[in-house]
């Protein structure tokens, strides 16, 4: 508002400068050694990063804009979670989130959490035993007819509870063996048990062994000499050869 008088001619210019806000996306990996290449997104813009890069992407955008931010593609073997300042109290499952650009900077963190991994390895006692075993993770056979040293390799499972175990393979009976399951920091199964359950979380890598010791017994052969009347008599020979199963 201003005063004007007769004869004056006043020209005014109103300049509108668009307000800008900053949006940043940061990447976190769990565990840290699982860090890999990734592409981050803010609206239509993307930025690719190598595993060794500092994985952070920022853009200045018009306030009032609503944009999708995060990670367009989640790497295999990971679950993604996103947390943005000013949007929600805690991280949410998913790799992207729509945010409204304001004068206060918005920072989003996308965390890739590696799914738990479980590995089962067969150990036989003695190592030359011919037994064959089907090794299982969560009730699914991941390795058929495993002998000594046979393994499922690392198997991805969901967080929560995992179960490892075994079934008899070709020409093998579990009754002929004493089993023991050992899973390191996750503990050991009961003696003789052929399955074991334990808790797993993101980032876990659990290696279990199932040891099968061959049950053995003793056969004793005693040579006795008797008369036709059934009376035992001293051996007529200084030595005699006895066989068990041809040996």
């Amino acid at each position: 508002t201003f005063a004007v008088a007769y004869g004056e001619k006043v020209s005014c210019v109103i300049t509108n400068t668009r307000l800008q806000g900053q949006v940043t996306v940061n990447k976190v990996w769990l565990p840290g050694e699982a860090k890999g290449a990734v592409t981050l997104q803010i609206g239509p813009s993307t930025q690719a990063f190598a595993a060794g890069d500092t994985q952070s992407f920022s853009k200045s955008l018009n306030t009032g804009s609503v944009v999708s931010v995060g990670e367009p593609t989640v790497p295999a073997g990971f679950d993604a979670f996103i947390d943005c300042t000013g949007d929600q109290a805690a991280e949410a499952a998913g790799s992207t989130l729509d945010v409204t650009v304001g004068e206060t900077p918005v920072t989003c963190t996308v965390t890739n959490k590696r799914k738990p991994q479980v590995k089962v390895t067969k150990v036989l006692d003695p190592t030359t035993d011919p037994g064959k075993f089907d090794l299982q993770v969560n009730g699914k056979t991941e390795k058929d007819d495993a002998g000594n040293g046979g393994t499922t390799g690392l198997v991805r499972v969901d967080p929560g509870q995992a179960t490892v175990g075994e079934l008899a393979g070709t020409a093998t009976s579990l009754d002929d063996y004493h089993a023991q399951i050992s899973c390191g920091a996750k503990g050991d199964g009961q003696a003789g048990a052929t399955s074991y359950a334990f808790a797993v979380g993101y980032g876990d890598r659990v290696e279990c062994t199932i040891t099968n010791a061959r049950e053995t017994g003793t056969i004793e052969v005693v040579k006795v000499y008797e008369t036709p009347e059934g009376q035992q008599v001293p051996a007529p020979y200084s030595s005699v050869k006895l066989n068990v199963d041809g040996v």
Side-chain angles (χ1 to χ4, degrees), residues 165-242:
E166 67 180 359
L167 300 175
T170 302
T172 300
S173 172
L174 295 181
D175 292 338
D176 292 333
Y177 297 85
H178 175 80
Q180 179 62 62
I181 301 176
S182 299
C183 294
K186 296 298 182 179
D188 300 336
Q190 292 184 350
T194 56
S195 66
Y196 177 60
F198 49 90
V200 289
Y202 286 112
D204 280 350
R205 179 172 285 169
V206 183
E207 297 195 17
C208 299
T209 59
I210 304 180
T211 301
N212 294 86
R214 194 68 161 87
E215 300 282 4
T216 59
T218 301
I219 299 176
E220 182 181 12
V221 180
V222 179
K223 181 67 174 176
V224 176
Y225 293 88
E226 293 182 349
T227 66
E229 291 76 22
Q231 182 180 0
Q232 290 190 14
V233 296
Y237 309 105
S238 60
S239 65
V240 65
K241 183 179 179 181
L242 302 177

Side-chain angles (χ1 to χ4, degrees), residues 25 27 58 65 92 138 143 145 149 235:
V25 182
K27 183 68 179 180
S58 296
S65 303
N138 283 350
K143 174 65 175 177
D145 280 347

Side-chain angles (χ1 to χ4, degrees), residues 118 136-139 161-165 195-198:
V118 176
Q136 297 193 319
V137 176
N138 283 350
Q161 180 172 281
T163 302
V164 297
S195 66
Y196 177 60
F198 49 90

